Amino acid sequence: MFPQSARASEHQAEALVLTCIDFRFVDLEQSFLSGQHLDQAYDWVTLAGASLALTGFPHPAEAEAFWDQLALSRQLHNISKVVIIDHQDCGAYASVYKQPFSDLISEQNLHTQYLTQAYEQIRQRYPDLDVELYFAKLTGEVSLISSHQS
């Protein structure tokens, strides 16, 4: 059975959302996205490390999967933006950067570097898509890193 909203005339999403696979953040992310007025009007891709996956972590297939999903989301659901949410205490980042972070600011700064790289790659391939970058903290706060409108 398909939900009523799955009719072809209504088969659109506003965004493709990329998050990490970490289960600790699923409820927070869904609540946050609802607060952003997306209310399930998004395609959701989860890859370990979120923005880190676009570098090919842990394998090049992760980046390839993201680009394939983005192309399909755009083609099938006519998305207008990409939302990427990285998070604090990410095991994927910890496996690449063995040193523990000295503080939250340095951890967020590292994520910001990767989020910015992801933004640049997306805008290079899809200059007309808006891109929003966020960092979720263990406290439940989600901080805007950057928002770029086309």
Side-chain angles (χ1 to χ4, degrees), residues 18 49-52 54-55 67 84-86 93 108-124 131-135 144-148:
L18 172 63
S51 66
L52 184 62
L54 273 67
T55 68
W67 293 115
I84 304 175
I85 306 173
D86 274 15
Y93 275 84
Q108 186 169 326
N109 285 342
L110 179 63
H111 282 269
T112 298
Q113 291 174 25
Y114 282 92
L115 286 162
T116 301
Q117 285 177 349
Y119 160 78
E120 291 168 355
Q121 291 174 6
I122 293 165
R123 292 295 293 213
Q124 185 175 31
V131 180
E132 296 177 7
L133 309 172
Y134 296 94
F135 184 73
L144 175 67
I145 299 300
S146 184
S147 178
H148 302 279

Side-chain angles (χ1 to χ4, degrees), residues 10-75:
E10 300 172 10
H11 203 66
Q12 288 191 320
E14 185 175 336
L16 175 104
V17 176
L18 172 63
T19 63
C20 185
I21 62 172
D22 194 322
F23 66 93
R24 298 175 298 167
F25 289 87
V26 172
D27 290 340
L28 169 66
E29 291 160 347
Q30 287 178 329
S31 176
F32 172 75
L33 292 167
S34 179
Q36 298 297 306
H37 307 291
L38 288 176
D39 295 320
Q40 299 180 5
Y42 53 88
D43 292 329
W44 200 347
V45 175
T46 60
L47 296 168
S51 66
L52 184 62
L54 273 67
T55 68
F57 172 86
H59 304 286
E62 273 69 24
E64 196 174 315
F66 171 78
W67 293 115
D68 289 347
Q69 296 302 303
L70 179 54
L72 283 169
S73 182
R74 184 173 167 118
Q75 176 188 353

